[in-house]
Amino acid sequence: MRRARRGRSRHNAPVMPGLVIVGAQWGDEGKGKIVDLLADSSDVIVRFQGGNNAGHTIVRDGEKFKFHLIPSGILHADKVCVIGNGVVLDPAILLGEIDGLRRRGVDVANLKISANAHLIMPYHVLLDTAGEVKLGKLSIGTTRRGIGPCYADKALRLGIRVQDLLDEKILRTKIRAALEPKQQALRELSVRRRKMRKEAGEGAERGEPADQSADDTPDPRLDLHTMTEEHVSFGHRLEPHIADTARLCWDALDAGQTVVFEGAQATLLDLDHGTYPFVTSSNPIAGAATIGAGVGPTDIDEVWGVAKAYATRVGAGPFPTELEDDVGRQMLERGQEYGTTTGRERRCGWLDLVALRYAVRLNGMTALTITKLDVLKGIDPLRVAVRYRSKEGAIFDSFPYHQSILHSAEPEYEELPGFDVDVEGARSEAELPPQARAYLSYISEFVGVPIRLVGVGPDREQVVWIGDEPRLQAA
Ligand code: IMP
C-alpha cells in the first residue's frame, strides 16, 4: 500500500516518488532538459497541461530534439511517457512528432495518451488567429496554435476528446455541434475585417486564413465530412497509445515508482495567477498536476521550479525587469532566445526575485533549478530585482495583485559582482567562480528554497548538482 510510505519529512525525503517540475517565470526556462535528466532515474513522465504552444529542446550528444507535445522523457525507451487528460492535443501535430522521432530511431511504443484529453481542432486554430487579429493592439501574442479556443470549448462542454476519435458516429455528432457556432463566429469576424478594410480603402488581402470563411465558398478546412474522415484516420493511428492514464499513474505510484509531472509554460502565464490576460489558457502551476494527470494532492512529494539565471518573456504583457539595451541583446544572442514554437525573439531582462518568490509560494516549491548561468558571463555587475516601486512611490516587496501596478512599476535592484570566466565546463559547485556561487546563494536565500541544480550550457551533461543528486526511485 502506498500510504505506508507516508509520514516522512518532505524536505529530507531520500526518494521522491511524485515530483512536479514547473516553470518559475514566463516559460522557456529549460524544463525539458531537467525532465530529461531526471527521467534517467524515474519511471513515468506525465505532461499535465498546455498543448503544442510549448516547445522543449533537448540537446543530446550534440543532437537537437524539439518537442511540442510529447513528454521530454521520450528519449528513454524504457520510460512510460504520458500525455495527461489536462493537455490539449492537436492530433496532426502529435502524429508528426511521432513520425519524426521514429525516423530518428526513437522508440515511441511507451507513449500513452489519455482518452480524456481534449483535441485541438482546425477551427480552434482559425479562431485563435482571428481572435488575435480582432484584438489588434491589445492582442496577447498567443502562439496561434488554438490553445485558448480549445480550453474554452472544454469549459463550454463542446470539446472533442481523444476517445471520440474511436467512434465515428459520436465524433461526427460532436464535431457538428461544435462547428456551427465557430462557423458563425469566423464569418462575423471576417465580415467585420472586410468592412474595416473597405472603410480604410484597402484592397482585399489574399491568403489570410480567417478571411476565407467570409467568401461565399465554404472554407474546406471547416467541412464536417472531411474533418470527420481525417480525424477517424488519426484515431486509427493513435489507438495503440490511448489509455486510462490516471490509472497508469496510480499503479506506478502504488508500486513505489517515481512519476515526474512535467509542466509546460510557467507560473506567470498561469490563467488564474499569472499576468492575466497575458497568460495561457491553462494552469501551469504545480497544483494543476493533480487535475491534469488525475492524481491526488497527497501524491505529490516534491515540487521543483525551473528559472533562468535571468528572465525572458515571449508575447505581450508586463515584464518589469525587461532590458532594451546591450545587456538584453547579449542575453538574447548568447542565450539563443528565440521561441521553439514560433521562432519569435524573446524579450530579455534581469532576474526578478519578487516574481520568483511569488512563484515559489504559489507552487509550494521544495527546490529550484537555475538554468543558463553561462549566458551571464561577462556581465558586470549583475542585477536582481528585489522590490518594485509604483509611479506614486509606493514600495512593493511582494508581487502586486493589481495588474496596472505591475505595468508601470519600476523594479529596484540589488547589484552583485559578475564573473568573466567560462562556466560551461563546471561540473561541481567548487568549479564555479565565487561570484557565480554568491549569485546563486543570494537567489536561494531571497526566495527561501535551496537550489539543487544549475545549468551551465545547452547539453544535458552541462549541469552542476548542488548537494547530492536526488535518489529517485526508478524500478
Ligand atoms: P497561448 O498559450 O498560445 O494561448 O499564448 C498565450 C501566451 O502564452 C502568449 O504570450 C505566449 O507567447 C505564451 N506562451 C504560450 N506557451 C508558451 C511557452 O511554451 N513558452 C513561453 N511562452 C508561452
Side-chain angles (χ1 to χ4, degrees), residues 280-291:
T280 191
S281 297
S282 66
N283 293 104
I285 60 171
T290 62
I291 297 163

Side-chain angles (χ1 to χ4, degrees), residues 253-439:
L253 291 163
D254 288 347
Q257 295 186 340
T258 294
V259 179
V260 174
F261 300 91
E262 175 181 7
Q265 291 85 45
T267 304
L268 296 164
L269 292 175
D270 185 272
L271 182 59
D272 287 76
H273 299 282
T275 53
Y276 191 91
F278 303 102
V279 293
T280 191
S281 297
S282 66
N283 293 104
I285 60 171
T290 62
I291 297 163
V295 300
T298 50
D299 289 315
I300 307 296
D301 298 84
E302 292 268 339
V303 178
W304 285 22
V306 186
K308 277 179 199 170
Y310 48 101
T312 64
R313 173 164 205 168
V314 58
F319 181 11
T321 61
E322 183 167 12
L323 289 169
E324 286 168 21
D325 60 7
D326 286 349
V327 176
R329 201 81 219 154
Q330 168 170 341
M331 290 167 174
L332 176 86
E333 276 156 22
R334 292 201 44 199
Q336 281 301 293
E337 296 296 354
Y338 301 94
T340 317
T341 303
T342 57
R344 288 179 288 180
E345 269 188 14
R346 296 178 186 141
R347 300 153 68 193
C348 297
W350 296 116
L351 182 62
D352 184 342
L353 292 182
V354 184
L356 190 57
R357 192 163 54 189
Y358 174 68
V360 166
R361 188 67 192 87
L362 271 175
N363 289 288
M365 270 179 219
T366 54
L368 254 184
T369 84
I370 298 291
T371 57
K372 294 188 140 183
L373 184 67
D374 51 302
V375 173
L376 296 184
K377 180 194 162 190
I379 301 177
D380 196 6
L382 294 168
R383 294 172 134 199
V384 287
V386 291
R387 66 187 78 83
Y388 304 140
R389 183 183 289 272
S390 76
K391 271 196 309 216
E392 294 74 27
I395 294 290
F396 289 85
D397 290 313
S398 51
F399 204 68
Y401 74 85
H402 205 298
Q403 191 81 356
S404 351
I405 291 171
L406 201 60
H407 275 280
S408 59
E410 281 298 323
E412 294 197 346
Y413 293 103
E414 188 70 33
E415 287 192 352
L416 301 164
F419 51 93
D420 204 12
V421 291
D422 282 334
V423 293
E424 279 102 334
R427 295 293 176 270
S428 69
E429 205 181 343
E431 290 175 286
L432 291 173
Q435 300 88 337
R437 292 209 300 271
Y439 185 68

Side-chain angles (χ1 to χ4, degrees), residues 26-28 53-55 128 140-144 147-148 265 269 279-281 314-316 344:
W26 279 282
D28 313 309
N53 48 347
D128 198 356
I140 291 153
T142 74
T143 59
R144 301 194 178 194
I147 307 297
Q265 291 85 45
L269 292 175
V279 293
T280 191
S281 297
V314 58
R344 288 179 288 180

